[in-house]
Amino acid sequence: MSLLNRLSICSKLCYAIGGAPYQITGSALGFFLQIYLLDVAQIDAFYASIILFVGRAWDGITDPTVGFLVSRSPWTRFGRMLPWIVLSTPLAVICYFLIFYVPPFEDGKVVWYLFFYCAFQTLQTCFHVPYSALTMFISSEQAERDSATAYRMTIEVLGAVLGTAIQGQIVGMANAPCIPGPGDPVLNATNLCSSVSKTAYMIASGVICLVYILCAIVLFFGVREQKEFCRVGSEPISFFQGIKLVMGHGPYVKLVIGFLFTSLAFMLLEGNFALFCTYTLGFRNDFQNILLVIMFSATLAIPFWQWFLTRFGKKTAAYCGTLTAVPSMIVVVVFKSNLIMTYFVSFFAGMGVASAYLMSWSMLPDVVDDFKLENPKSTGHEAIFYSFYVFFSKFSSGISLGISTLSLHFAGYITRGCSQPEAVNITLRVLVSFAPIALMIIGLVVLYFYPIDEKRRQRNRERLREQWEMEDSETDSAELAAII
């Protein structure tokens, strides 16, 4: 391995820190946006489902669009990916903060949240798509990219822990008082104003915005986007040609569909777990700590899964990691509500979350390398592969969150209720257990047909190395001939 291809620990850490903003904001929105819209902003469940669905669907649509634009961006002295990250950050944090601000009017609330949610998702896409594609431009060696990805996944899970901790702990200390139903005891606290809870959400979002900015600064100054690995692309292609390009590569399609279902399962769990803990399990004052246990466990499990995939292969690690979460999801809904048991099963669920974080991003560069070998004349399209991968994931998650919130609406969800109808509790059990398990099984069945095993991956690595050496040799010969 040449010194050019080797990455220092400092470079890997700086690169990894750049992935934290996506997970910090993603975990805060994923775990808390639904309950915030329903119980703090007091949006009707039907309109909340529209906001969540349209926001996620819009986010998905912007991914391939930004990927297409990034792939055609000119090279600058800062690189091709980094300028997108720097320019999008200030506007993104402003929009994120305004998502958790309750406007002083009622009629336009839905439009307010829909606009700023969509705006933030667009700007975050301008950060995350170039950042994801940056993996291909920090080194040409698979081993170095895999190592950098492991660093990245560890920091991203830590970012998810940080986002969950910041949002959960600050908000958890200022829960809005619930409104008793016909069978609930009347509480004096129900007459208190929920302004404290609104302020808590704003403080939490402000802290997260500061962390977002700091991470972007570290990434920009700590990572060098190496032009040596940025081969001149083939002729520019249209947006629909980009779709045809990536969807025409069989391994990519199988990988995307497989992880589409498994990630969808975890997104359903993430989006409804706070409501499930609050109402079905009755842990209104403990749900933020339960979420923290899940993310902390995921952080500890990342190094283990990185070792596991190097020892047994990525497909095996994906299967074992996903299946790790299944027993926990069954236990938490089958057995009687018990706080200690909930903490215990949450710890094991976190191991499955860690695998979902790591495996998908670790396997995607292998697909891009495979495409390069099969299509040597079609180059410079890395961002398109990454953006469409994110597109399918986000679009499906938008559908799932919209449907799940709409299901709660039809089940009779009571905004800020101290308790919920039994139909709501049954719906929540399905959304955090049985539906995700079914989706995981489908995803693993599809992933079974994913053709890039360890033998093919190693062969691709050798062929790519030979290709790079041949291209470098031809370049050196041409420069020598020009001098002579």
Side-chain angles (χ1 to χ4, degrees):
M1 185 186 300
S2 68
L3 292 176
L4 180 65
N5 293 331
R6 186 174 290 117
L7 296 173
S8 67
I9 293 177
C10 181
S11 295
K12 292 176 184 178
L13 282 173
C14 290
Y15 166 73
I17 288 172
Y22 181 77
Q23 295 300 338
I24 291 173
T25 56
S27 63
L29 290 170
F31 283 123
F32 294 96
L33 182 59
Q34 185 184 53
I35 197 169
Y36 166 79
L37 292 175
L38 293 173
D39 286 1
V40 179
Q42 298 186 43
I43 302 293
D44 182 83
F46 175 77
Y47 293 110
S49 69
I50 292 176
I51 293 171
L52 293 171
F53 167 70
V54 174
R56 282 283 189 165
W58 173 256
D59 184 25
I61 292 171
T62 60
D63 280 297
T65 305
V66 172
F68 173 72
L69 294 174
V70 170
S71 68
R72 303 187 68 173
S73 298
W75 181 269
T76 70
R77 67 190 183 96
F78 300 109
R80 192 169 70 176
M81 308 295 168
L82 290 174
W84 282 84
I85 293 170
V86 172
L87 294 175
S88 64
T89 296
L91 293 174
V93 296
I94 292 173
C95 291
Y96 180 82
F97 181 79
L98 292 175
I99 290 174
F100 290 102
Y101 172 73
V102 180
F105 48 79
E106 290 294 328
D107 292 341
K109 266 190 187 180
V110 175
V111 175
W112 172 280
Y113 289 115
L114 185 59
F115 173 80
F116 284 110
Y117 188 38
C118 290
F120 171 72
Q121 298 287 23
T122 301
L123 292 163
Q124 191 186 50
T125 297
C126 293
F127 183 110
H128 192 248
V129 168
Y131 172 76
S132 300
L134 189 61
T135 309
M136 305 302 297
F137 301 108
I138 56 177
S139 177
S140 63
E141 285 290 332
Q142 283 187 0
E144 289 296 289
R145 294 202 305 258
D146 285 348
S147 177
T149 299
Y151 275 80
R152 172 191 165 188
M153 292 300 104
T154 302
I155 296 296
E156 286 197 2
V157 174
L158 280 172
V161 172
L162 185 61
T164 305
I166 292 172
Q167 195 84 12
Q169 297 305 312
I170 294 176
V171 170
M173 293 186 294
N175 279 326
C178 63
I179 299 174
D184 298 321
V186 178
L187 303 175
N188 294 330
T190 58
N191 296 322
L192 296 175
C193 178
S194 63
S195 61
V196 175
S197 185
K198 295 176 183 177
T199 303
Y201 272 97
M202 290 178 62
I203 293 173
S205 63
V207 174
I208 287 175
C209 287
L210 289 176
V211 177
Y212 193 116
I213 294 171
L214 289 174
C215 291
I217 292 173
V218 170
L219 175 65
F220 180 74
F221 288 104
V223 174
R224 185 170 78 92
E225 189 177 342
Q226 301 185 40
K227 194 173 184 179
E228 298 93 318
F229 306 137
C230 184
R231 294 296 191 239
V232 177
S234 52
E235 293 186 5
I237 60 176
S238 68
F239 178 79
F240 292 103
Q241 285 176 320
I243 298 177
K244 184 178 180 181
L245 178 78
V246 299
M247 299 310 294
H249 190 58
Y252 179 80
V253 174
K254 292 181 176 67
L255 182 69
V256 167
I257 295 176
F259 278 109
L260 177 67
F261 283 100
T262 55
S263 63
L264 188 56
F266 283 106
M267 287 175 186
L268 265 180
L269 178 65
E270 178 186 75
N272 295 280
F273 197 71
L275 290 172
F276 175 74
C277 289
T278 300
Y279 294 113
T280 305
L281 297 183
F283 302 142
R284 176 179 294 273
N285 298 320
D286 297 284
F287 77 87
Q288 68 273 10
N289 298 322
I290 297 171
L291 299 180
L292 199 56
V293 168
I294 293 176
M295 303 316 298
F296 181 72
S297 169
T299 305
L300 297 178
I302 285 287
F304 168 77
W305 289 122
Q306 176 63 21
W307 168 83
F308 193 94
L309 70 86
T310 58
R311 179 68 177 81
F312 300 101
K314 295 183 180 181
K315 280 184 67 173
T316 303
Y319 266 86
C320 294
T322 302
L323 293 174
T324 299
V326 173
S328 302
M329 297 165 69
I330 295 175
V331 169
V332 79
V333 300
V334 170
F335 289 92
K336 186 178 179 180
S337 176
N338 181 286
L339 184 58
I340 295 177
M341 179 179 289
T342 302
Y343 277 120
F344 183 76
V345 299
S346 296
F347 183 86
F348 284 95
M351 296 187 66
V353 172
S355 174
Y357 273 113
L358 179 62
M359 290 303 114
S360 57
W361 292 110
S362 180
M363 296 170 76
L364 187 56
D366 300 337
V367 174
V368 177
D369 286 343
D370 192 75
F371 174 83
K372 287 180 179 179
L373 289 171
E374 292 189 8
N375 303 271
K377 294 183 179 180
S378 183
T379 59
H381 306 312
E382 292 85 358
I384 297 178
F385 277 87
Y386 277 83
S387 62
F388 273 99
Y389 183 81
V390 178
F391 160 73
F392 289 115
S393 176
K394 289 182 177 179
F395 189 81
S396 63
S397 71
I399 295 175
S400 70
L401 286 174
I403 292 177
S404 64
T405 310
L406 197 60
S407 300
L408 293 175
H409 169 73
F410 288 119
Y413 180 86
I414 301 172
T415 300
R416 284 177 54 199
C418 293
S419 64
Q420 298 291 339
E422 184 59 26
V424 171
N425 292 325
I426 294 174
T427 302
L428 287 171
R429 290 179 187 275
V430 171
L431 292 174
V432 303
S433 180
F434 304 114
I437 291 173
L439 291 169
M440 286 179 185
I441 293 173
I442 295 173
L444 292 178
V445 169
V446 174
L447 200 60
Y448 175 81
F449 298 98
Y450 173 70
I452 302 179
D453 54 16
E454 286 305 298
K455 183 177 180 181
R456 178 166 170 176
R457 194 171 72 89
Q458 296 298 331
R459 185 173 68 247
N460 286 349
R461 184 178 69 174
E462 295 302 321
R463 290 175 60 191
L464 276 173
R465 183 177 296 173
E466 293 173 0
Q467 188 179 93
W468 278 93
E469 291 174 353
M470 185 179 299
E471 290 176 358
D472 290 339
S473 177
E474 291 174 354
T475 301
D476 293 340
S477 300
E479 291 177 351
L480 179 63
I483 294 173
I484 296 175

